[in-house]
Structure formats: C-alpha cells, structure tokens
Amino acid sequence: ASSPRSTPEAISEGSSMAATAAKKPLQLYDASGTPKKAGDKPLGIGYDEDGVPHPDWEIVIEESMEANGRRRGARIEGAIDLKAYVPKRSGPRWGKRYGTARKDRVGSFGTYTVEEAKFCLTSEDFGWDLGEESPPYPPYVRLCYGELHGEQDSIRLFTGLSEIHLLKDLDLREVHYMLQGLGYVCYNTPTWEEDRWWGEGIDCFPQRVSAGLPGGKGPMFYSWYYRLPPWMPGLVLEGEEGDFLNGPTALKRRAQDRHHLMQAEKDNEDRLLDLKHKALEQREDWYSAANLTAADYDEEKE
C-alpha cells in the first residue's frame, strides 16, 4: 500500500501549507513590548519577538485625481523622521589612542594601569553621540588580550574609534573585573571547544585570532565583547555598539538565519523523500502494466 504522504494530493497539500506559512505576517512590538494589532498605525521601527529591529511603514495609493487630471502619487505613512532617529544611532565622531608611549629600539607600548584605564572610561565620551539617553560610560567596549609565542604581550580596550593601551604585565582578571564593576556584560558566543580557564566570572569563549603558525607560534589575540544593558531594544542599535559582526543585534540576526536555514534543509529533505516514494510507485505501476517483475526487467536489459 502506498504511503499517504507520497500521493500527489499530499505533496500538493504540503506545498500549499508551506507557502501559507511563509506568507504569515511578522508580529511586531513597539519599544515597550506592546504587540502591534491589525489596524494599528505603523510603528516606524518595530521589533520582532527576538528584539531585532524591523522597519514598519505603509505605502498608501490614492485613487483620487489632482486638479490637472493627474493621478496622485503613492505616499509613505509611518516612516521615521531621520533627523530625530539617526543622531541617536550615530557612531563616534572621532577616535584617539590613550596610554601609549614610544622608546627607541623598543617601539610603542601601553602605559595605563587598571585605575587609569577606569578613569579614562568614566571621564571621556570618545566622540559618541547617543542623544539624550546617553549612558554614563561608552555603550560598547572590546577587551583584547594579546600573546606572542605563548607569552603575555598586550592588553587593550577598544570603544568606537578609540583605543586604550594598558601595561602588558597586568593581571588580565583585574581588567575584566574593572569592566564588570562598571556594569558591563560580556556577550561572546561559543564557537569552538575551549578548555582554557581565564578566571572566576570571566567568559570562557573569547574570539580568537592568530597568525596561523604551527605549534601556537606567532601572535595570538583574544577578544571579549562587553556591552551596557539593556541589550534589546533601546541602547542596542546597530549604529551604537559599533560592532556589526558580533554585536547583540548581529548575533540575533545570525541565530534567526541559522534557524531558517535548518528549516529549509528539513523541508528539502522531506520533498526529496516524497519524490523518491513517488518514483518507486511509478516504477511498480510500470512493472504491473508490462506484467513484469523487477528481476525480469533486469534480465531483459542484460
């Protein structure tokens, strides 16, 4: 007996259900988490259930004519006012290096202690222009720890276009605890198996970049991405954290894309399985019509 899922009607019904699911409108929420209902005005910028921002406006086409007989053009309703929106999401206007010194036959090196780096973070604005809701400290900080041939070589902080260079022989844990004491939260994403212990309360999955030399030789850089809460929505918008690849918004979009890809692969496997069942049924029908068995057909081919 044939499987119900292998019939043409079942295949057609499954394709129709998939198309209906794909056309399902996206449920959006405003900045306070209130869901948008049918008939509500456009939000300008809405957020999905994961907190990822989406543009939300409508194109209105009027049927009426102008006095000169021309049809009125379409207009956009609910579009955001860029003059009020872009400045809140703009990046830093300038960048600067803090805590660097240079000596002959040595080169450049960091000079800031942990306390000096903390004072720099809390006293400088680093060119950020975040509007009236500006946080007390930079919204985004990347802690980069460098090693050369397995030995500690550098500790740097990056925010916007600016850099803060610390003494290379400091305890890395003290720098992490300084950032955490200011309210920063690490949002690194695990991408590999890491067996290195960095310290109590320190994320075990830093972003790792190396020169690719065998045996761990050459420079190696580890990065921790710190962010001031709240993450979504509010302060975390793609122009504020300055990190378009590993920022909270980018990570959420990447997770959504991965989910959609897995669903598409599953749908493709189901479709191929249905086609396989259908081909086998057609083969059996052809055998029955020719009054042959599979063995007889193979003998005739030989």
Side-chain angles (χ1 to χ4, degrees), residues 48 66 172 215 241 263:
D48 61 15
E66 295 182 356
L172 181 63
E241 81 279 354
Q263 185 63 38

Side-chain angles (χ1 to χ4, degrees), residues 24-30 33-38 40 43 46-52 54:
K24 183 178 180 181
L26 180 65
Q27 176 63 58
L28 295 179
Y29 304 83
D30 60 12
T34 304
K36 179 186 176 183
K37 300 179 181 179
D40 290 351
L43 299 174
Y47 301 89
D48 61 15
E49 59 184 6
D50 295 322
V52 177
H54 294 271

Side-chain angles (χ1 to χ4, degrees), residues 81-117:
D81 186 0
L82 294 181
K83 293 182 179 180
Y85 185 68
V86 172
K88 297 182 180 180
R89 304 170 61 184
S90 62
R93 301 181 302 273
W94 52 266
K96 182 180 177 181
R97 288 185 176 180
Y98 298 86
T100 57
R102 185 176 183 84
K103 286 186 178 181
D104 295 338
R105 301 182 181 181
V106 176
S108 299
F109 56 91
T111 61
Y112 273 12
T113 63
V114 176
E115 293 299 326
E116 290 174 332

Side-chain angles (χ1 to χ4, degrees), residues 41-42 56-64 66 71-79:
K41 294 182 179 180
D56 179 39
W57 53 74
E58 297 178 355
I59 299 178
V60 179
I61 301 178
E62 296 184 357
E63 298 295 336
S64 60
E66 295 182 356
R71 184 181 299 275
R72 294 181 182 273
R75 71 177 190 275
I76 299 177
E77 287 189 356

Side-chain angles (χ1 to χ4, degrees), residues 139-172:
Y140 159 79
V141 175
R142 176 168 71 96
L143 170 56
C144 180
Y145 167 74
E147 290 183 345
L148 182 61
H149 306 309
E151 299 293 333
Q152 183 168 327
D153 185 64
S154 64
I155 300 178
R156 294 170 294 171
L157 298 176
F158 294 87
T159 176
L161 303 176
S162 301
E163 306 174 8
I164 301 176
H165 295 251
L166 289 80
L167 293 167
K168 70 175 185 179
D169 55 352
L170 293 176
D171 188 349
L172 181 63

Side-chain angles (χ1 to χ4, degrees), residues 221-236:
F221 298 97
Y222 301 88
S223 295
W224 288 265
Y225 293 87
Y226 280 93
R227 190 72 174 85
L228 283 179
W231 285 10
M232 299 295 286
L235 292 178
V236 180

